[in-house]
Amino acid sequence: MNSFKKLALIFGLAIVATSCQDDSVPNYQYMPNMYESVGYEAYSEADFLPNQSEAMLPPANTINRGWLPYEIENSPEGKELARLQSSPLDSMSVEKNLAKGSQLYTIYCAICHGDKGDGQGTLVKREKILGVPSYADPVRNLTVGSTYYTIHYGLNSMGSYASQMNTEEMWQVSEYVMKLKQDLTK
């Protein structure tokens, strides 16, 4: 009888100990940082990081991958200098460059300038943007260099696409724009 009381007491304590457990919430957190991460604000102070800042500036005189510095400044004189610039892309792979330029033009430019470069893109037809000129307009005097300059810096209501495309892609689009201009002026 004595062993029956001990067995009942142990069984009762086991039931009491397990009845308070909530399966939806863990009782113990062995590594609390894994469950509740600490968020840091960019450029804010953090005493355990170098220079007490989370995001650090890149080292001086470094260049991003796929990016070449553009020596021509964003000014009216710079635009005239860019007009004289020729494409640095390989002349042996013109077809490949035009094919890639066509794809990029369709993604970034055709919505405003139109698939043919006539200034009749979807946004112009819906009157969301007005005054997009045709590449065939002789007053514009487009060259591959001035087209690259415009893609790089933007012009009027067209913003810069330098953050969306790397240097080679901007030159490919510029060459494709020259092909569209040639097709329009035939």
Side-chain angles (χ1 to χ4, degrees), residues 99-143:
K100 181 69 174 174
S102 170
Q103 291 173 349
L104 293 167
Y105 181 87
T106 303
I107 293 169
Y108 295 111
C109 311
I111 191 78
C112 296
H113 292 279
D115 291 326
K116 298 175 185 174
D118 55 359
Q120 295 300 310
T122 305
L123 293 179
V124 173
K125 288 179 183 174
R126 292 182 184 172
E127 296 180 357
K128 303 291 182 188
I129 297 176
L130 301 174
V132 177
S134 170
Y135 296 142
D137 188 6
V139 176
R140 294 187 67 204
N141 191 19
L142 285 179
T143 65

mmCIF file of all heavy atoms in Angstrom, residues 99-143:
data_model
loop_
_atom_site.group_PDB
_atom_site.id
_atom_site.type_symbol
_atom_site.label_atom_id
_atom_site.label_comp_id
_atom_site.label_asym_id
_atom_site.label_seq_id
_atom_site.Cartn_x
_atom_site.Cartn_y
_atom_site.Cartn_z
ATOM 1 N N ALA A 99 21.447 43.299 -80.711
ATOM 2 C CA ALA A 99 20.425 42.407 -80.146
ATOM 3 C C ALA A 99 20.232 42.685 -78.658
ATOM 4 O O ALA A 99 19.093 42.778 -78.173
ATOM 5 C CB ALA A 99 20.819 40.951 -80.373
ATOM 6 N N LYS A 100 21.319 42.824 -77.934
ATOM 7 C CA LYS A 100 21.235 43.127 -76.497
ATOM 8 C C LYS A 100 20.661 44.531 -76.292
ATOM 9 O O LYS A 100 19.836 44.758 -75.394
ATOM 10 C CB LYS A 100 22.628 43.014 -75.862
ATOM 11 C CG LYS A 100 22.655 43.276 -74.393
ATOM 12 C CD LYS A 100 21.966 42.200 -73.611
ATOM 13 C CE LYS A 100 22.163 42.463 -72.123
ATOM 14 N NZ LYS A 100 21.435 41.564 -71.297
ATOM 15 N N GLY A 101 21.076 45.480 -77.116
ATOM 16 C CA GLY A 101 20.545 46.841 -77.042
ATOM 17 C C GLY A 101 19.052 46.887 -77.310
ATOM 18 O O GLY A 101 18.319 47.643 -76.680
ATOM 19 N N SER A 102 18.581 46.044 -78.235
ATOM 20 C CA SER A 102 17.152 45.968 -78.540
ATOM 21 C C SER A 102 16.362 45.476 -77.328
ATOM 22 O O SER A 102 15.298 46.019 -77.010
ATOM 23 C CB SER A 102 16.927 45.036 -79.732
ATOM 24 O OG SER A 102 15.568 44.767 -79.906
ATOM 25 N N GLN A 103 16.873 44.460 -76.657
ATOM 26 C CA GLN A 103 16.198 43.941 -75.465
ATOM 27 C C GLN A 103 16.135 45.008 -74.371
ATOM 28 O O GLN A 103 15.083 45.218 -73.756
ATOM 29 C CB GLN A 103 16.923 42.709 -74.932
ATOM 30 C CG GLN A 103 16.831 41.503 -75.807
ATOM 31 C CD GLN A 103 17.712 40.365 -75.287
ATOM 32 O OE1 GLN A 103 18.532 40.556 -74.394
ATOM 33 N NE2 GLN A 103 17.539 39.195 -75.873
ATOM 34 N N LEU A 104 17.257 45.666 -74.133
ATOM 35 C CA LEU A 104 17.298 46.692 -73.085
ATOM 36 C C LEU A 104 16.421 47.892 -73.450
ATOM 37 O O LEU A 104 15.766 48.486 -72.589
ATOM 38 C CB LEU A 104 18.740 47.126 -72.842
ATOM 39 C CG LEU A 104 19.639 46.054 -72.232
ATOM 40 C CD1 LEU A 104 21.096 46.467 -72.318
ATOM 41 C CD2 LEU A 104 19.237 45.789 -70.790
ATOM 42 N N TYR A 105 16.409 48.258 -74.729
ATOM 43 C CA TYR A 105 15.566 49.364 -75.194
ATOM 44 C C TYR A 105 14.101 49.052 -74.935
ATOM 45 O O TYR A 105 13.345 49.904 -74.475
ATOM 46 C CB TYR A 105 15.812 49.613 -76.680
ATOM 47 C CG TYR A 105 15.001 50.748 -77.243
ATOM 48 C CD1 TYR A 105 15.466 52.056 -77.183
ATOM 49 C CD2 TYR A 105 13.749 50.528 -77.818
ATOM 50 C CE1 TYR A 105 14.719 53.105 -77.687
ATOM 51 C CE2 TYR A 105 12.995 51.560 -78.317
ATOM 52 C CZ TYR A 105 13.483 52.848 -78.255
ATOM 53 O OH TYR A 105 12.739 53.896 -78.738
ATOM 54 N N THR A 106 13.700 47.810 -75.218
ATOM 55 C CA THR A 106 12.314 47.405 -74.990
ATOM 56 C C THR A 106 11.961 47.501 -73.510
ATOM 57 O O THR A 106 10.857 47.917 -73.153
ATOM 58 C CB THR A 106 12.080 45.968 -75.497
ATOM 59 O OG1 THR A 106 12.422 45.917 -76.882
ATOM 60 C CG2 THR A 106 10.651 45.541 -75.309
ATOM 61 N N ILE A 107 12.891 47.141 -72.642
ATOM 62 C CA ILE A 107 12.631 47.171 -71.200
ATOM 63 C C ILE A 107 12.563 48.605 -70.675
ATOM 64 O O ILE A 107 11.640 48.967 -69.949
ATOM 65 C CB ILE A 107 13.719 46.380 -70.447
ATOM 66 C CG1 ILE A 107 13.632 44.903 -70.781
ATOM 67 C CG2 ILE A 107 13.613 46.596 -68.945
ATOM 68 C CD1 ILE A 107 14.814 44.088 -70.302
ATOM 69 N N TYR A 108 13.545 49.434 -71.026
ATOM 70 C CA TYR A 108 13.688 50.743 -70.386
ATOM 71 C C TYR A 108 13.141 51.920 -71.199
ATOM 72 O O TYR A 108 12.710 52.910 -70.613
ATOM 73 C CB TYR A 108 15.161 51.020 -70.078
ATOM 74 C CG TYR A 108 15.749 50.081 -69.067
ATOM 75 C CD1 TYR A 108 16.704 49.141 -69.436
ATOM 76 C CD2 TYR A 108 15.350 50.104 -67.739
ATOM 77 C CE1 TYR A 108 17.248 48.270 -68.514
ATOM 78 C CE2 TYR A 108 15.880 49.242 -66.810
ATOM 79 C CZ TYR A 108 16.832 48.324 -67.202
ATOM 80 O OH TYR A 108 17.367 47.464 -66.286
ATOM 81 N N CYS A 109 13.178 51.849 -72.517
ATOM 82 C CA CYS A 109 12.938 53.040 -73.329
ATOM 83 C C CYS A 109 11.624 53.035 -74.106
ATOM 84 O O CYS A 109 11.020 54.080 -74.315
ATOM 85 C CB CYS A 109 14.076 53.226 -74.322
ATOM 86 S SG CYS A 109 15.721 53.126 -73.598
ATOM 87 N N ALA A 110 11.199 51.863 -74.567
ATOM 88 C CA ALA A 110 10.061 51.783 -75.483
ATOM 89 C C ALA A 110 8.763 52.271 -74.853
ATOM 90 O O ALA A 110 7.870 52.716 -75.568
ATOM 91 C CB ALA A 110 9.896 50.360 -75.992
ATOM 92 N N ILE A 111 8.638 52.225 -73.556
ATOM 93 C CA ILE A 111 7.413 52.661 -72.889
ATOM 94 C C ILE A 111 7.129 54.140 -73.174
ATOM 95 O O ILE A 111 5.975 54.546 -73.271
ATOM 96 C CB ILE A 111 7.479 52.372 -71.368
ATOM 97 C CG1 ILE A 111 6.129 52.562 -70.700
ATOM 98 C CG2 ILE A 111 8.520 53.216 -70.685
ATOM 99 C CD1 ILE A 111 5.193 51.429 -70.911
ATOM 100 N N CYS A 112 8.171 54.938 -73.367
ATOM 101 C CA CYS A 112 7.992 56.362 -73.692
ATOM 102 C C CYS A 112 8.307 56.652 -75.156
ATOM 103 O O CYS A 112 7.551 57.329 -75.845
ATOM 104 C CB CYS A 112 8.890 57.236 -72.816
ATOM 105 S SG CYS A 112 8.510 57.158 -71.067
ATOM 106 N N HIS A 113 9.454 56.155 -75.638
ATOM 107 C CA HIS A 113 9.931 56.504 -76.976
ATOM 108 C C HIS A 113 9.308 55.664 -78.085
ATOM 109 O O HIS A 113 9.472 55.997 -79.252
ATOM 110 C CB HIS A 113 11.459 56.352 -77.039
ATOM 111 C CG HIS A 113 12.168 57.370 -76.208
ATOM 112 N ND1 HIS A 113 12.404 58.652 -76.636
ATOM 113 C CD2 HIS A 113 12.687 57.288 -74.962
ATOM 114 C CE1 HIS A 113 13.048 59.323 -75.695
ATOM 115 N NE2 HIS A 113 13.234 58.526 -74.664
ATOM 116 N N GLY A 114 8.612 54.576 -77.747
ATOM 117 C CA GLY A 114 7.996 53.724 -78.762
ATOM 118 C C GLY A 114 8.966 52.675 -79.266
ATOM 119 O O GLY A 114 10.182 52.843 -79.201
ATOM 120 N N ASP A 115 8.424 51.577 -79.783
ATOM 121 C CA ASP A 115 9.258 50.479 -80.274
ATOM 122 C C ASP A 115 10.099 50.883 -81.477
ATOM 123 O O ASP A 115 11.169 50.330 -81.706
ATOM 124 C CB ASP A 115 8.388 49.271 -80.650
ATOM 125 C CG ASP A 115 7.767 48.621 -79.423
ATOM 126 O OD1 ASP A 115 8.432 48.621 -78.358
ATOM 127 O OD2 ASP A 115 6.631 48.131 -79.520
ATOM 128 N N LYS A 116 9.610 51.842 -82.266
ATOM 129 C CA LYS A 116 10.332 52.275 -83.464
ATOM 130 C C LYS A 116 11.147 53.543 -83.236
ATOM 131 O O LYS A 116 11.835 54.004 -84.138
ATOM 132 C CB LYS A 116 9.342 52.512 -84.598
ATOM 133 C CG LYS A 116 8.583 51.269 -84.989
ATOM 134 C CD LYS A 116 7.543 51.587 -86.031
ATOM 135 C CE LYS A 116 6.715 50.352 -86.329
ATOM 136 N NZ LYS A 116 5.611 50.660 -87.238
ATOM 137 N N GLY A 117 11.044 54.140 -82.053
ATOM 138 C CA GLY A 117 11.769 55.375 -81.772
ATOM 139 C C GLY A 117 11.060 56.600 -82.306
ATOM 140 O O GLY A 117 11.662 57.667 -82.436
ATOM 141 N N ASP A 118 9.765 56.475 -82.621
ATOM 142 C CA ASP A 118 9.013 57.583 -83.194
ATOM 143 C C ASP A 118 8.358 58.490 -82.149
ATOM 144 O O ASP A 118 7.613 59.395 -82.487
ATOM 145 C CB ASP A 118 7.943 57.049 -84.148
ATOM 146 C CG ASP A 118 7.011 56.039 -83.486
ATOM 147 O OD1 ASP A 118 7.207 55.738 -82.288
ATOM 148 O OD2 ASP A 118 6.097 55.550 -84.176
ATOM 149 N N GLY A 119 8.627 58.230 -80.863
ATOM 150 C CA GLY A 119 8.074 59.052 -79.796
ATOM 151 C C GLY A 119 6.630 58.718 -79.471
ATOM 152 O O GLY A 119 5.946 59.515 -78.841
ATOM 153 N N GLN A 120 6.166 57.551 -79.888
ATOM 154 C CA GLN A 120 4.783 57.144 -79.662
ATOM 155 C C GLN A 120 4.710 55.898 -78.790
ATOM 156 O O GLN A 120 4.137 54.880 -79.160
ATOM 157 C CB GLN A 120 4.076 56.897 -81.003
ATOM 158 C CG GLN A 120 3.919 58.132 -81.849
ATOM 159 C CD GLN A 120 3.112 59.205 -81.128
ATOM 160 O OE1 GLN A 120 2.035 58.941 -80.614
ATOM 161 N NE2 GLN A 120 3.630 60.415 -81.095
ATOM 162 N N GLY A 121 5.295 55.959 -77.613
ATOM 163 C CA GLY A 121 5.249 54.852 -76.668
ATOM 164 C C GLY A 121 3.897 54.777 -75.981
ATOM 165 O O GLY A 121 3.020 55.628 -76.168
ATOM 166 N N THR A 122 3.717 53.766 -75.178
ATOM 167 C CA THR A 122 2.447 53.539 -74.487
ATOM 168 C C THR A 122 2.075 54.724 -73.597
ATOM 169 O O THR A 122 0.922 55.154 -73.578
ATOM 170 C CB THR A 122 2.536 52.253 -73.634
ATOM 171 O OG1 THR A 122 2.940 51.177 -74.476
ATOM 172 C CG2 THR A 122 1.220 51.929 -72.994
ATOM 173 N N LEU A 123 3.026 55.263 -72.863
ATOM 174 C CA LEU A 123 2.730 56.391 -71.973
ATOM 175 C C LEU A 123 2.376 57.661 -72.746
ATOM 176 O O LEU A 123 1.565 58.467 -72.291
ATOM 177 C CB LEU A 123 3.901 56.654 -71.031
ATOM 178 C CG LEU A 123 4.175 55.559 -70.002
ATOM 179 C CD1 LEU A 123 5.378 55.930 -69.149
ATOM 180 C CD2 LEU A 123 2.966 55.317 -69.124
ATOM 181 N N VAL A 124 2.965 57.833 -73.924
ATOM 182 C CA VAL A 124 2.645 58.998 -74.751
ATOM 183 C C VAL A 124 1.244 58.842 -75.328
ATOM 184 O O VAL A 124 0.455 59.798 -75.346
ATOM 185 C CB VAL A 124 3.694 59.170 -75.871
ATOM 186 C CG1 VAL A 124 3.292 60.266 -76.835
ATOM 187 C CG2 VAL A 124 5.050 59.464 -75.269
ATOM 188 N N LYS A 125 0.902 57.634 -75.783
ATOM 189 C CA LYS A 125 -0.428 57.400 -76.346
ATOM 190 C C LYS A 125 -1.516 57.579 -75.286
ATOM 191 O O LYS A 125 -2.621 58.025 -75.597
ATOM 192 C CB LYS A 125 -0.507 55.998 -76.936
ATOM 193 C CG LYS A 125 0.289 55.848 -78.214
ATOM 194 C CD LYS A 125 0.193 54.432 -78.739
ATOM 195 C CE LYS A 125 1.050 54.266 -79.976
ATOM 196 N NZ LYS A 125 1.086 52.869 -80.430
ATOM 197 N N ARG A 126 -1.224 57.252 -74.053
ATOM 198 C CA ARG A 126 -2.197 57.429 -72.964
ATOM 199 C C ARG A 126 -2.139 58.838 -72.372
ATOM 200 O O ARG A 126 -2.814 59.132 -71.392
ATOM 201 C CB ARG A 126 -1.932 56.408 -71.861
ATOM 202 C CG ARG A 126 -2.214 55.002 -72.284
ATOM 203 C CD ARG A 126 -1.972 54.051 -71.151
ATOM 204 N NE ARG A 126 -2.157 52.680 -71.577
ATOM 205 C CZ ARG A 126 -1.862 51.624 -70.844
ATOM 206 N NH1 ARG A 126 -1.361 51.783 -69.634
ATOM 207 N NH2 ARG A 126 -2.049 50.413 -71.308
ATOM 208 N N GLU A 127 -1.305 59.689 -72.946
ATOM 209 C CA GLU A 127 -1.124 61.082 -72.538
ATOM 210 C C GLU A 127 -0.658 61.227 -71.097
ATOM 211 O O GLU A 127 -1.025 62.154 -70.388
ATOM 212 C CB GLU A 127 -2.404 61.881 -72.781
ATOM 213 C CG GLU A 127 -2.760 61.971 -74.248
ATOM 214 C CD GLU A 127 -4.017 62.765 -74.493
ATOM 215 O OE1 GLU A 127 -4.667 63.219 -73.526
ATOM 216 O OE2 GLU A 127 -4.350 62.953 -75.676
ATOM 217 N N LYS A 128 0.154 60.285 -70.642
ATOM 218 C CA LYS A 128 0.772 60.385 -69.320
ATOM 219 C C LYS A 128 2.038 61.229 -69.389
ATOM 220 O O LYS A 128 2.419 61.871 -68.426
ATOM 221 C CB LYS A 128 1.119 58.993 -68.768
ATOM 222 C CG LYS A 128 -0.051 58.061 -68.679
ATOM 223 C CD LYS A 128 -1.022 58.506 -67.626
ATOM 224 C CE LYS A 128 -2.171 57.520 -67.525
ATOM 225 N NZ LYS A 128 -3.229 57.975 -66.678
ATOM 226 N N ILE A 129 2.703 61.186 -70.539
ATOM 227 C CA ILE A 129 3.909 61.980 -70.797
ATOM 228 C C ILE A 129 3.717 62.652 -72.150
ATOM 229 O O ILE A 129 3.306 62.009 -73.117
ATOM 230 C CB ILE A 129 5.171 61.100 -70.824
ATOM 231 C CG1 ILE A 129 5.401 60.451 -69.468
ATOM 232 C CG2 ILE A 129 6.385 61.902 -71.234
ATOM 233 C CD1 ILE A 129 6.560 59.490 -69.432
ATOM 234 N N LEU A 130 4.018 63.909 -72.234
ATOM 235 C CA LEU A 130 3.870 64.635 -73.493
ATOM 236 C C LEU A 130 5.220 65.161 -73.958
ATOM 237 O O LEU A 130 6.108 65.428 -73.162
ATOM 238 C CB LEU A 130 2.892 65.797 -73.313
ATOM 239 C CG LEU A 130 1.485 65.409 -72.851
ATOM 240 C CD1 LEU A 130 0.656 66.647 -72.578
ATOM 241 C CD2 LEU A 130 0.814 64.537 -73.880
ATOM 242 N N GLY A 131 5.363 65.300 -75.252
ATOM 243 C CA GLY A 131 6.542 65.929 -75.814
ATOM 244 C C GLY A 131 7.746 65.029 -75.983
ATOM 245 O O GLY A 131 8.873 65.510 -75.958
ATOM 246 N N VAL A 132 7.552 63.737 -76.175
ATOM 247 C CA VAL A 132 8.683 62.838 -76.436
ATOM 248 C C VAL A 132 8.958 62.900 -77.931
ATOM 249 O O VAL A 132 8.132 62.460 -78.746
ATOM 250 C CB VAL A 132 8.372 61.389 -75.990
ATOM 251 C CG1 VAL A 132 9.518 60.472 -76.335
ATOM 252 C CG2 VAL A 132 8.070 61.347 -74.505
ATOM 253 N N PRO A 133 10.106 63.441 -78.339
ATOM 254 C CA PRO A 133 10.357 63.622 -79.772
ATOM 255 C C PRO A 133 10.780 62.320 -80.461
ATOM 256 O O PRO A 133 11.237 61.378 -79.828
ATOM 257 C CB PRO A 133 11.507 64.641 -79.794
ATOM 258 C CG PRO A 133 12.181 64.459 -78.492
ATOM 259 C CD PRO A 133 11.140 64.008 -77.508
ATOM 260 N N SER A 134 10.651 62.326 -81.751
ATOM 261 C CA SER A 134 11.071 61.197 -82.571
ATOM 262 C C SER A 134 12.581 61.273 -82.788
ATOM 263 O O SER A 134 13.172 62.354 -82.804
ATOM 264 C CB SER A 134 10.354 61.252 -83.920
ATOM 265 O OG SER A 134 10.894 60.312 -84.804
ATOM 266 N N TYR A 135 13.199 60.100 -82.954
ATOM 267 C CA TYR A 135 14.635 60.082 -83.244
ATOM 268 C C TYR A 135 14.931 60.628 -84.638
ATOM 269 O O TYR A 135 16.056 61.010 -84.932
ATOM 270 C CB TYR A 135 15.192 58.663 -83.134
ATOM 271 C CG TYR A 135 15.114 58.084 -81.743
ATOM 272 C CD1 TYR A 135 14.819 56.746 -81.556
ATOM 273 C CD2 TYR A 135 15.348 58.856 -80.617
ATOM 274 C CE1 TYR A 135 14.754 56.198 -80.283
ATOM 275 C CE2 TYR A 135 15.281 58.323 -79.348
ATOM 276 C CZ TYR A 135 14.974 56.992 -79.185
ATOM 277 O OH TYR A 135 14.914 56.462 -77.936
ATOM 278 N N ALA A 136 13.928 60.662 -85.512
ATOM 279 C CA ALA A 136 14.129 61.137 -86.882
ATOM 280 C C ALA A 136 14.165 62.656 -86.962
ATOM 281 O O ALA A 136 14.512 63.204 -88.010
ATOM 282 C CB ALA A 136 13.024 60.598 -87.784
ATOM 283 N N ASP A 137 13.837 63.351 -85.912
ATOM 284 C CA ASP A 137 13.818 64.808 -85.902
ATOM 285 C C ASP A 137 15.220 65.340 -86.194
ATOM 286 O O ASP A 137 16.150 65.140 -85.409
ATOM 287 C CB ASP A 137 13.334 65.294 -84.536
ATOM 288 C CG ASP A 137 13.087 66.786 -84.494
ATOM 289 O OD1 ASP A 137 13.181 67.427 -85.555
ATOM 290 O OD2 ASP A 137 12.808 67.302 -83.394
ATOM 291 N N PRO A 138 15.409 66.030 -87.331
ATOM 292 C CA PRO A 138 16.763 66.480 -87.693
ATOM 293 C C PRO A 138 17.323 67.558 -86.769
ATOM 294 O O PRO A 138 18.532 67.730 -86.675
ATOM 295 C CB PRO A 138 16.591 67.021 -89.119
ATOM 296 C CG PRO A 138 15.142 67.307 -89.264
ATOM 297 C CD PRO A 138 14.418 66.392 -88.336
ATOM 298 N N VAL A 139 16.468 68.265 -86.066
ATOM 299 C CA VAL A 139 16.922 69.329 -85.166
ATOM 300 C C VAL A 139 17.694 68.746 -83.988
ATOM 301 O O VAL A 139 18.604 69.374 -83.463
ATOM 302 C CB VAL A 139 15.702 70.144 -84.672
ATOM 303 C CG1 VAL A 139 16.116 71.198 -83.669
ATOM 304 C CG2 VAL A 139 14.988 70.773 -85.844
ATOM 305 N N ARG A 140 17.366 67.519 -83.604
ATOM 306 C CA ARG A 140 17.985 66.917 -82.426
ATOM 307 C C ARG A 140 19.442 66.560 -82.661
ATOM 308 O O ARG A 140 20.226 66.519 -81.731
ATOM 309 C CB ARG A 140 17.212 65.665 -82.001
ATOM 310 C CG ARG A 140 15.833 66.042 -81.524
ATOM 311 C CD ARG A 140 15.086 64.911 -80.947
ATOM 312 N NE ARG A 140 15.724 64.478 -79.718
ATOM 313 C CZ ARG A 140 15.591 63.265 -79.216
ATOM 314 N NH1 ARG A 140 14.877 62.372 -79.835
ATOM 315 N NH2 ARG A 140 16.181 62.945 -78.097
ATOM 316 N N ASN A 141 19.838 66.261 -83.888
ATOM 317 C CA ASN A 141 21.236 65.952 -84.225
ATOM 318 C C ASN A 141 21.813 64.876 -83.285
ATOM 319 O O ASN A 141 22.807 65.093 -82.604
ATOM 320 C CB ASN A 141 22.080 67.222 -84.187
ATOM 321 C CG ASN A 141 23.459 67.007 -84.770
ATOM 322 O OD1 ASN A 141 23.694 66.046 -85.500
ATOM 323 N ND2 ASN A 141 24.382 67.892 -84.456
ATOM 324 N N LEU A 142 21.136 63.730 -83.244
ATOM 325 C CA LEU A 142 21.558 62.641 -82.364
ATOM 326 C C LEU A 142 22.837 61.976 -82.858
ATOM 327 O O LEU A 142 22.989 61.724 -84.043
ATOM 328 C CB LEU A 142 20.471 61.562 -82.289
ATOM 329 C CG LEU A 142 19.245 61.851 -81.461
ATOM 330 C CD1 LEU A 142 18.287 60.675 -81.552
ATOM 331 C CD2 LEU A 142 19.605 62.096 -80.025
ATOM 332 N N THR A 143 23.713 61.690 -81.914
ATOM 333 C CA THR A 143 24.885 60.857 -82.186
ATOM 334 C C THR A 143 24.931 59.789 -81.101
ATOM 335 O O THR A 143 24.213 59.876 -80.109
ATOM 336 C CB THR A 143 26.192 61.678 -82.152
ATOM 337 O OG1 THR A 143 26.392 62.158 -80.825
ATOM 338 C CG2 THR A 143 26.163 62.823 -83.138
#
